[in-house]
Amino acid sequence: MATTNDLKNGLVLNLDGDLWAVVEFQHVKPGKGGAFVRTTLKNVLSGKVVDRTFNAGTKVETATVDKRTMQYLYIDGEDYVFMDLQSYEQISVPAGTVGEGTKFLLPEAEVTVATHEGVPLYVELPTSVILEVTYTEPGLQGDRSTGGTKPATVETGATVNVPLFINIGEKIKVDTRDSRYLGRS
């Protein structure tokens, strides 16, 4: 248990049976009346974001979230199997929990897996990964007025918009948050 005065960004709260991460908080002390804490909370499982206000000093239940560095091993049906790098224990994470990160997961990639009471909550990929281009159309010089882009398929099967000069077999750096091309590697 903690009070609303102990809130900080990233803290996970257990409210009404759901897990909510504090995205933003602000202590407000109006000239008249009691102080309160205005928060922006994100549901850890669904990703839904809500604004919630608490009276200052109100007790809230905190949840213990265990974040561990794990290595992605393979797909087992609908589940992705990860191995803890310290204990070598393997856990299966459903595809829905991995989310959009499946587009950039390579075998042996190191990711952060967050669990609560043994249940995987989410998988955090590194902000950028280096992938090889497996297919892209040849870029023609001169058929554009500004820097143009073309779609390219990378080794994981994801499609990324790349500059016209990128060819098959080149390694590129991709942002895992928004599938943006960051440069050659």
Side-chain angles (χ1 to χ4, degrees):
M1 284 295 236
T3 66
T4 53
N5 299 330
D6 301 325
L7 292 182
K8 59 183 183 234
N9 291 346
L11 185 69
V12 179
L13 306 175
N14 190 352
L15 301 171
D16 307 324
D18 286 334
L19 297 177
W20 298 87
V22 177
V23 176
E24 194 178 329
F25 70 97
Q26 180 182 19
H27 288 274
V28 180
K29 190 169 190 302
K32 189 168 126 185
F36 59 91
V37 179
R38 190 177 293 135
T39 62
T40 301
L41 304 172
K42 181 178 181 182
N43 189 305
V44 174
L45 297 174
S46 68
K48 179 180 171 186
V49 177
V50 296
D51 291 325
R52 185 147 176 196
T53 304
F54 300 96
N55 288 331
T58 304
K59 292 205 177 294
V60 289
E61 187 180 342
T62 58
T64 52
V65 174
D66 184 23
K67 290 183 179 180
R68 289 195 247 160
T69 302
M70 295 193 172
Q71 185 180 55
Y72 168 62
L73 297 177
Y74 58 90
I75 298 175
D76 183 23
E78 291 290 311
D79 293 345
Y80 288 77
V81 179
F82 294 89
M83 178 181 68
D84 189 326
L85 293 175
Q86 270 80 44
S87 67
Y88 301 109
E89 166 190 350
Q90 294 183 9
I91 64 165
S92 293
V93 179
T97 304
V98 179
E100 292 291 308
T102 58
K103 298 190 301 189
F104 302 110
L105 264 182
L106 283 172
E108 300 181 15
E110 288 189 15
V111 298
T112 302
V113 178
T115 59
H116 172 67
E117 296 176 355
V119 178
L121 300 175
Y122 59 88
V123 175
E124 212 172 86
L125 270 70
T127 52
S128 65
V129 291
I130 295 172
L131 300 169
E132 185 177 333
V133 176
T134 56
Y135 177 77
T136 186
E137 294 290 332
L140 299 173
Q141 286 296 102
D143 63 350
R144 60 187 168 17
S145 59
T146 59
T149 61
K150 62 183 179 179
T153 305
V154 293
E155 57 190 303
T156 58
T159 303
V160 179
N161 283 332
V162 297
L164 295 173
F165 57 81
I166 298 293
N167 297 312
I168 295 173
E170 289 189 47
K171 292 202 179 278
I172 59 171
K173 194 172 191 178
V174 180
D175 190 323
T176 58
R177 297 167 295 190
D178 56 7
S179 304
R180 247 180 340 125
Y181 166 81
L182 296 175
R184 285 179 169 161
S185 82

